[in-house]
Amino acid sequence: MRTASFGDYEIIDASGGEKLERWGDHILIRPDPQIIWNTPRENPLWGRAEGRYIRSSKGGGQWEFHTRMEESWTIGWGELRFRIRPTGFKHTGLFPEQAVNWTWMGERIRAARASGRTVRVLNLFAYTGGATLACAAAGAEVCHVDASRGMVAWARENAALSGLEDRPVRWIVDDCEKFVARELKRGKRYDGIIMDPPSYGRGPGGEVWKLEEQIYDMVSLCARALSEAPLFFLLNSYTTGLSPAVMEYLLGAALRRKGALSSSEIGLPVTESGMVLPCGSTAVWEPAR
């Protein structure tokens, strides 16, 4: 699956372990280990990028800015608006390739709402809220959960920029696993569940998260939080060791529900080559149609 066009975002070119990107009016260069080809860098924008993230041989890295630029700026996708800000971990606060999933979920939420249903969505490891805003804009009640207080604040800023600050969204700073366990005790159930877990992370109380070791148990726990007539369970991964097929099997094994399973790499078009750069994987369960 791919996002055909994001409008304010574009991968202009990709070569030598780096991608040349346009974020609104700003041109950035960021590393990508999947770009193992060394095609000629003929586009002149390679030499005009305002910022470039340089990886350190000891891990991590830092931004090298070639011109004075604003600390943050806003880009749009449809009716949604997002604050973009280069961070110390090479990210900018948004994963544009996820727009294909936002569209998919929005279609299902709108169809259910058209029949008079209330739709409740749980977004775990929710980052800066792209999926949260897409679901809220489609008419869902959303519970947004992330362990980082700063990321939840950033997501709320994006909601305000998008004119969605008054929508029914619960903004929760918590360890995702502990939160779901408490929701189960409270009898809370959701019609859609989104999981976008990191490969490695820490909760607000120092809880350690290692994807390969904990993902099956986490999906199994979340499966119990699905309503009696759920719309979807969507699982994302950026861990190269988890293929789409493995994620699809894991999702089916953990949910143990009748329905339709599918999985795919997600990606974005590269303007210079006309090809698609893989950016992650998604596995989906939905009720059989």
Side-chain angles (χ1 to χ4, degrees):
M1 298 189 297
R2 75 172 191 173
T3 296
S5 174
F6 197 92
D8 281 352
Y9 173 82
E10 175 189 10
I11 300 180
I12 302 166
D13 199 7
S15 177
E18 294 180 311
K19 52 189 174 183
L20 177 67
E21 304 170 295
R22 177 180 62 83
W23 295 87
D25 295 328
H26 297 282
I27 305 298
L28 302 176
I29 297 173
R30 293 191 299 157
D32 188 324
Q34 294 192 105
I35 303 173
I36 59 175
W37 49 90
N38 260 312
T39 48
R41 298 189 177 193
E42 297 175 343
N43 194 303
L45 290 175
W46 280 106
R48 300 177 195 165
E50 296 158 84
R52 183 180 188 181
Y53 189 85
I54 308 296
R55 283 199 180 280
S56 168
S57 59
K58 299 179 181 179
Q62 63 182 359
W63 284 95
E64 180 182 275
F65 293 105
H66 304 146
T67 183
R68 192 180 189 89
M69 61 184 293
E70 50 197 330
E71 180 181 328
S72 67
W73 61 95
T74 302
I75 69 170
W77 179 77
E79 61 192 339
L80 305 183
R81 297 292 178 269
F82 302 97
R83 178 71 67 192
I84 300 302
R85 184 183 301 120
T87 70
F89 300 98
K90 92 169 181 177
H91 300 303
T92 61
L94 190 67
F95 293 92
E97 62 273 13
Q98 288 295 331
V100 68
N101 288 327
W102 304 342
T103 298
W104 185 89
M105 290 183 289
E107 289 171 351
R108 279 144 184 80
I109 292 167
R110 288 185 175 92
R113 293 284 295 137
S115 67
R117 278 190 65 175
T118 296
V119 177
R120 297 181 177 88
V121 173
L122 175 62
N123 187 13
L124 300 170
F125 310 96
Y127 196 49
T128 60
T132 294
L133 302 190
C135 292
E141 298 177 7
V142 186
C143 183
H144 174 110
V145 187
D146 197 280
S148 168
R149 187 173 301 278
M151 289 300 136
V152 174
W154 196 337
R156 297 190 74 159
E157 181 182 4
N158 287 335
L161 288 170
S162 301
L164 298 172
E165 64 268 44
D166 295 329
R167 295 296 176 97
V169 178
R170 295 169 64 200
W171 305 100
I172 307 294
V173 179
D174 203 349
D175 174 79
C176 289
E177 185 174 1
K178 291 180 178 179
F179 177 79
V180 174
R182 288 198 300 273
E183 289 288 87
L184 290 171
K185 290 181 179 179
R186 290 189 282 253
K188 293 290 184 66
R189 298 297 182 267
Y190 295 89
D191 305 300
I193 294 179
I194 308 160
M195 285 182 61
D196 201 345
S199 298
Y200 178 85
R202 289 186 178 274
E207 303 88 348
V208 176
W209 165 269
K210 292 183 179 179
L211 184 67
E212 292 91 338
E213 295 178 7
Q214 293 170 262
I215 186 63
Y216 176 77
D217 290 342
M218 184 67 185
V219 174
S220 299
L221 179 71
C222 291
R224 294 164 49 198
L226 284 170
S227 66
E228 293 184 1
L231 298 178
F232 59 81
F233 194 123
L234 189 146
L235 174 64
N236 288 309
S237 173
Y238 288 89
T239 302
T240 54
L242 288 181
S243 70
V246 167
M247 290 171 58
E248 179 180 331
Y249 195 102
L250 181 150
L251 196 57
L255 264 64
R256 297 175 184 244
R257 279 178 177 257
K258 292 182 180 179
L261 287 164
S262 61
S263 62
S264 177
E265 283 189 322
I266 53 176
L268 289 162
V270 178
T271 302
E272 197 74 14
S273 68
M275 294 187 285
V276 176
L277 179 66
C279 300
S281 300
T282 295
V284 170
W285 175 93
E286 59 180 322
R289 296 190 177 187

